[in-house]
Amino acid sequence: MSEDGLPEVLVFDVNETLTDMSVLAGRLADTGLPGELLPLWFAGVLRDGIALTLAGGRADFATVARDALLAHLALERPGDPDPWAAADHVLGALPELPVHPDVPDGVRALHAAGHRLITLTNGSARTSSAVLARAGLADCFETHLDIQGAGGRWKPAPTAYAHAVRVAGIPAGAAMLVAVHPWDVDGAARAGLRTAWLRRTPVPYPSALRPADRQAAGVDDLARQLGAAVG
């Protein structure tokens, strides 16, 4: 931590934390799958990727996400003539996802206040870079990281967070993980990072997990908590 007790580096999760994934419901509908399937599909992707890490296996986000879509298509649309094209239609929207409305002002305020900002995703660093460039925030982040730099081990594996602080060149306690997912917050806390949980839904934080050091309604709210002037 810096002399004033604030984190030197903010490590942002990307999917759902910075990006609004709800637009993928329309892509699912384009393929004939119900848009309401989105939360179940994404939860299944995280489950399978994390399970692979626990079992000692590895696969990138795109592979796991495509497999999950193909499984849903096989169940919901068994006669689909080209399920691979349908899956690619959904995944092709990932680099074009919008960010949540609170993100631009919050990120710019944190950057202007002198915080170093990086991203760490179970997805693709290239996708993170594309999304944030589209949002006009490319100059606010010094780098974008994914779990390929951690041997393909998905968060919340400790090696994923260790990869981020190693690249940043700081001790774990000088970094703060910012995420909407409680399991990500818990994993970062166990790896020695400070943590901030973004409350994007009314769902309470699980009592079984290590609590976040801070809770915020959005990135702009977190910026204010950290003393940044949000325009």
Side-chain angles (χ1 to χ4, degrees):
M1 304 294 281
S2 61
E3 292 182 1
D4 56 10
L6 297 176
E8 295 179 35
V9 176
L10 294 171
V11 182
F12 281 88
D13 174 54
V14 179
N15 289 328
E16 295 190 310
T17 297
L18 296 177
T19 59
D20 180 0
M21 297 184 70
S22 65
V23 298
L24 291 180
R27 290 288 183 116
L28 289 171
D30 290 343
T31 70
L33 293 172
E36 295 79 9
L37 184 66
L38 176 60
L40 179 63
W41 165 69
F42 187 59
V45 173
L46 293 174
R47 177 202 63 208
D48 290 350
I50 293 169
L52 271 171
T53 291
L54 288 172
R58 65 185 64 186
D60 62 25
F61 181 91
T63 300
V64 177
R66 183 176 292 106
D67 285 347
L69 285 168
L70 291 172
H72 285 297
L73 285 162
L75 289 172
E76 300 277 347
R77 294 180 58 82
D80 193 304
D82 193 351
W84 281 78
D88 287 343
H89 176 68
V90 177
L91 296 179
L94 290 174
E96 302 172 3
L97 289 177
V99 297
H100 289 288
D102 57 275
V103 169
D105 284 349
V107 163
R108 292 190 183 105
L110 288 167
H111 177 66
H115 293 284
R116 297 170 58 195
L117 311 181
I118 67 177
T119 62
L120 175 65
T121 179
N122 283 334
S124 161
R126 182 177 298 180
T127 296
S128 300
S129 178
V131 165
L132 292 165
R134 282 172 54 84
L137 301 173
D139 60 339
C140 295
F141 289 86
E142 62 181 60
T143 192
H144 301 289
L145 305 175
D146 59 39
I147 49 90
Q148 299 311 311
R153 297 184 63 79
W154 290 47
K155 296 185 292 177
T159 50
Y161 308 106
H163 169 54
V165 298
R166 182 171 60 251
V167 170
I170 56 170
M176 173 175 280
L177 186 280
V178 183
V180 73
H181 306 288
W183 55 263
D184 202 358
V185 171
D186 178 83
R190 294 179 190 276
L193 283 71
R194 308 297 289 176
T195 57
W197 178 52
L198 300 189
R199 306 185 311 269
R200 294 206 180 279
T201 73
V203 178
Y205 193 89
S207 62
L209 304 185
R210 291 194 180 187
D213 295 297
R214 292 182 181 269
Q215 294 189 17
V219 180
D220 53 358
D221 182 28
L222 177 63
R224 292 187 187 96
Q225 290 186 33
L226 296 178
V230 180

